[in-house]
Structures are given as structure tokens and as C-alpha cells.
Amino acid sequence: MSAARSRTSRRTTTRVASAVVPVVLLSGCSFSGAQSLPLPGGKGGGGYELQVEFNDVLDLVPQSAVKVDDVTVGRVEDIELNDYTALVTVLVERDVVLPTDTRASLRQTSLLGEKFVSLDRQEGGTGQIKPGTLIPLERTTRNTEIEELLSALSLVLNGGGIEQIQTINKELIAALEGREDKVKDVLTQLDTFVGGLDRQKGQIVRTLDAMDRLTARLARERQTLATGLDDLPDGARVLADEREDLTAVLTGLEQLGDVAVRVIQATKQSTVADLKALTPILDQLGKAGKDLPDALELLTTYPFPRTIDQGIRGDYTNLFITLEVDLQSTLGIVGIPPAGERGGTPTAPGAPTVPKVPAPAVPKPPLPQLQVPGVDLSDLRLGANGRHQSFLGLLLGGLS
């Protein structure tokens, strides 16, 4: 009996100690409630924080799971009201890399399961999100609640369209009965029409774009159009006042057309003959080709060729010309009679006669001759008959 009592006493002592230890531990640590305890299957430990903004968090609670691709990678740290939205602070493990355009959605594990925050990475996302980043309201969504679905379904079933389905079905049968072929033909034509629209959707889009540009241009020119419409009655009034003159002009144009037709018919053979006669001339002009413009260009530079600038260096040139002039012929050209015809040179009476002393011959150094490509200066002389053999010789002879 004593042994049984001893074993019972030890079991009681163990139970009391087991109950006292948690109390002692809780009394020595701070305890903020049941929400501070991690949920089964949740993630604990450190990580980096992100903030997510939702319109409505439904029944999401702290310590709920945070998942990426349906894999738990963190937990909800805190939920607070931010004006008219809910601001959720989540803790994500350090080794989870998320792009900068990550989206967030509020989902639940099953039809009646718990809520969790899903972080959705976008395809083609770049960069890495930084700790403390806020995912704004524009990139967050939430799934439809089962209560919302049942409420919408009850609205349809109770006084909604379900009660009218039978009526609609009866009326549809009555409308199509006996007209099946026509309805089938209409559907075939509608299919053809829709198919044609689908094939021409590119042109339809371009037409709509063109109409958009046209309407925009009309909107910009609204003031000009208004001015034109205001002035249009005055212009129409002027045209109405000049109606008789315009009618007379149009009648005269009609008569002119009749006369022109008669003239063309009367001169048709002559005109054709003239055109045929012009054919050889036009053929020769076509054969002349580039020679005619070159000849006309050369005529404007005669007697100096186009290459004369190659013989000129700087702003001057040396030109030495030797002329043999028949004085008597030259005087005859300029209109001065010879000395015999003038009666001789008058002399003063009693004037002594001075004998002419010939001047000593002084050798002249040879003068350099200008060599101009394309110009022959050797014929700048007067002939025996007193006529010049070149245009330059005539010019210099006249000046002498």
C-alpha cells in the first residue's frame, strides 16, 4: 500500500511541475496575445518586410501565410487602417527574390479555407524589390468571397431571370417555328458578313484612324469653318446677282467650242501636213544634241575661248601684238583723205627748210609673245587691200 501511495504522489508532483513551468516561463516573457503565436505550417524567423495596400482584407489576420507560386515564403506581420484602405505588412524570407513589378492578391486555400497573401511575379519582370517597398493599390486584387457568390446566385434565383427562362424559351420557339430555313439563311449571311468584317478589320481600323485625324483637323479649324459658313451667304448672293453674266459666259464658251471644233476640222489636214513637215527639222535638232548648246556658248565668248583663264595668272596679263598698218588705207577707212587730195601741208612763208636726219637704228629686244591656248594671234594684220582679216585687227585698226 505504501508503494502505491508513493507512485501516486510522484505522478501528482510531476503534473504540478509541468503546469507550473509554462506559467513561470510566460510570467518571465512578454505575451501580446494569441495572434503573436505562429500558425501551424507558417514560416517564422527573420526576413525583409514589404507593405501591401488592399481595398479590403476581408478576414485576413496576422500570422497568415505569404506565398509565392503557392509556396509559403513568409507571414503577415501587421494589419492597420490607412485612410480608407488596409495596409498589410508582410515578412518575406531573405532568399526570396522578387522583381520590382510584383503584384499581390488576397486568396484562400480552399472554398472555406483560410486567407493568405499571394505575391505574383510578372513575366519578364526586371530588377529586385527593395525591403520596405510599398505595393500600391493599383497592383493588388482579391478573390470573390463565397458569401458574395451565394448572394449573387440568390438574387438570380429569387425574382431574377431564372423565372423568365421558361417564358423566353416558349416565345423563342413560337418565333422560329416554321421559319427554320429563313433563320438558317440569315445566320449564314450573318456569318459571311462577320467573316468579311474580320478580313477587312485592318482597313476598318485605318479608316477609323483617318476619321479621327479628320475630326481632329476639323476641330482645330472650327473658327475658320465658322467664318466660311458666315461668309457663304454673301458669296451665294454675289453669284445670284451675277447669274446673267455667268450664263452669258457659259453660252459664249459653248459657241467658242463650236467654232474651235469647226476650225480644227477645217485645218486638220494642213495641221497634220505641217507637223509632218516639222519631223525632219526635229530629227536634225535631235541629232545635233549637245553641239547646238556648245556652239551658242562659244559664240558668246568669241574670239576668246573658254580656256583663256588658263593663260591669265592673277588679275592681269601681258599681251604683245605686232601690227603692220597701211596708213593710207587706214586713213581711207576712218574717212580722212590722203595728203595729196588735201592740197599738201601748208607751210609758213620764209620758214627755213630743216633737213630730216635719220634716227640711229636702235636694236629692239624681242618681245615675248602671249601664248593663249585656242587663240591664233598671228593674223592680226591689215591686208594689201586695206581690209582687216580679223575682228580684233579691225577693232585695233579703227582705234589707230
Side-chain angles (χ1 to χ4, degrees):
M1 180 65 71
S2 61
R5 290 179 179 177
S6 177
R7 287 194 296 273
T8 303
S9 177
R10 286 197 296 271
R11 286 197 298 269
T12 302
T13 303
T14 302
R15 292 173 182 175
V16 171
S18 300
V20 170
V21 169
V23 173
V24 173
L25 292 176
L26 291 175
S27 63
C29 302
S30 61
F31 180 68
S32 58
Q35 65 178 12
S36 62
L37 299 176
L39 294 177
K43 289 285 184 179
Y48 61 91
E49 289 186 353
L50 296 177
Q51 290 184 328
V52 185
E53 191 176 16
F54 288 101
N55 268 330
D56 186 3
V57 292
L58 304 175
D59 56 350
L60 183 72
V61 295
Q63 302 300 325
S64 296
V66 175
K67 297 185 179 183
V68 175
D69 298 333
D70 291 331
V71 178
T72 303
V73 296
R75 56 188 170 86
V76 176
E77 282 288 304
D78 186 27
I79 302 174
E80 61 182 7
L81 183 64
N82 184 14
D83 292 335
Y84 295 98
T85 59
L87 186 63
V88 179
T89 303
V90 299
L91 187 65
V92 183
E93 294 180 353
R94 292 187 180 90
D95 57 348
V96 177
V97 179
L98 299 173
T100 55
D101 58 348
T102 299
R103 303 179 65 89
S105 60
L106 192 60
R107 298 166 56 188
Q108 59 189 72
T109 56
S110 61
L111 188 61
L112 299 176
E114 63 177 357
K115 303 293 187 300
F116 67 91
V117 176
S118 175
L119 300 178
D120 305 320
R121 292 178 288 196
Q122 303 301 305
E123 184 177 357
T126 59
Q128 182 177 354
I129 198 168
K130 296 181 180 180
T133 300
L134 172 66
I135 299 178
L137 193 64
E138 295 79 12
R139 294 187 308 189
T140 60
T141 57
R142 71 175 182 87
N143 288 349
T144 304
E145 285 283 282
I146 184 63
E147 293 86 353
E148 297 174 349
L149 179 61
L150 294 177
S151 175
L153 183 60
S154 65
L155 180 63
V156 174
L157 296 177
N158 299 325
I162 296 296
E163 296 180 354
Q164 302 176 3
I165 290 180
Q166 184 177 3
T167 304
I168 295 173
N169 189 26
K170 289 181 179 180
E171 295 296 333
L172 186 60
I173 293 174
L176 298 180
E177 187 176 4
R179 302 182 181 89
E180 292 81 0
D181 295 338
K182 295 181 179 180
V183 173
K184 183 178 180 181
D185 183 63
V186 170
L187 293 177
T188 303
Q189 296 180 10
L190 184 62
D191 180 70
T192 304
F193 175 72
V194 174
L197 290 179
D198 182 68
R199 288 191 299 271
Q200 298 179 7
K201 60 184 178 182
Q203 298 178 3
I204 295 174
V205 171
R206 287 194 296 270
T207 302
L208 294 177
D209 293 339
M211 291 182 62
D212 180 69
R213 292 192 298 269
L214 176 61
T215 53
R217 180 64 180 273
L218 293 176
R220 289 195 300 269
E221 301 293 338
R222 182 182 304 171
Q223 185 62 37
T224 304
L225 293 175
T227 305
L229 293 176
D230 293 338
D231 296 340
L232 188 60
D234 297 334
R237 190 178 303 108
V238 171
L239 291 176
D241 296 339
E242 302 294 335
R243 181 174 57 183
E244 295 181 0
D245 295 337
L246 292 174
T247 304
V249 170
L250 294 176
T251 304
L253 287 176
E254 182 182 4
Q255 296 174 358
L256 177 62
D258 295 338
V259 173
V261 169
R262 291 197 301 269
V263 170
I264 292 174
Q265 290 178 351
T267 60
K268 178 174 64 175
Q269 296 180 356
S270 301
T271 303
V272 172
D274 293 339
L275 293 176
K276 290 181 178 180
L278 284 175
T279 301
I281 299 174
L282 298 177
D283 291 341
Q284 295 301 322
L285 287 176
K287 293 178 180 179
K290 190 173 178 293
D291 296 337
L292 183 59
D294 292 343
L296 294 175
E297 182 180 1
L298 182 61
L299 181 61
T300 59
T301 61
Y302 183 82
F304 300 102
R306 289 175 295 180
T307 57
I308 190 173
D309 57 339
Q310 298 179 3
I312 300 176
R313 296 294 181 266
D315 56 354
Y316 66 92
T317 183
N318 295 327
L319 179 63
F320 297 94
I321 302 175
T322 303
L323 299 177
E324 295 181 4
V325 181
D326 187 349
L327 183 59
Q328 183 177 359
S329 300
T330 304
L331 293 177
I333 292 173
V334 299
I336 301 177
E341 298 179 3
R342 292 184 308 215
T345 303
T347 58
T353 301
V354 180
K356 295 183 180 179
V357 180
V362 179
K364 295 182 179 180
L367 298 177
Q369 299 294 328
L370 176 64
Q371 300 294 331
V372 181
V375 179
D376 186 7
L377 301 177
S378 61
D379 60 344
L380 299 178
R381 299 181 301 167
L382 292 173
N385 56 359
R387 294 186 177 180
H388 295 76
Q389 297 179 358
S390 67
F391 175 76
L392 183 59
L394 177 61
L395 178 61
L396 296 176
L399 293 178
S400 62

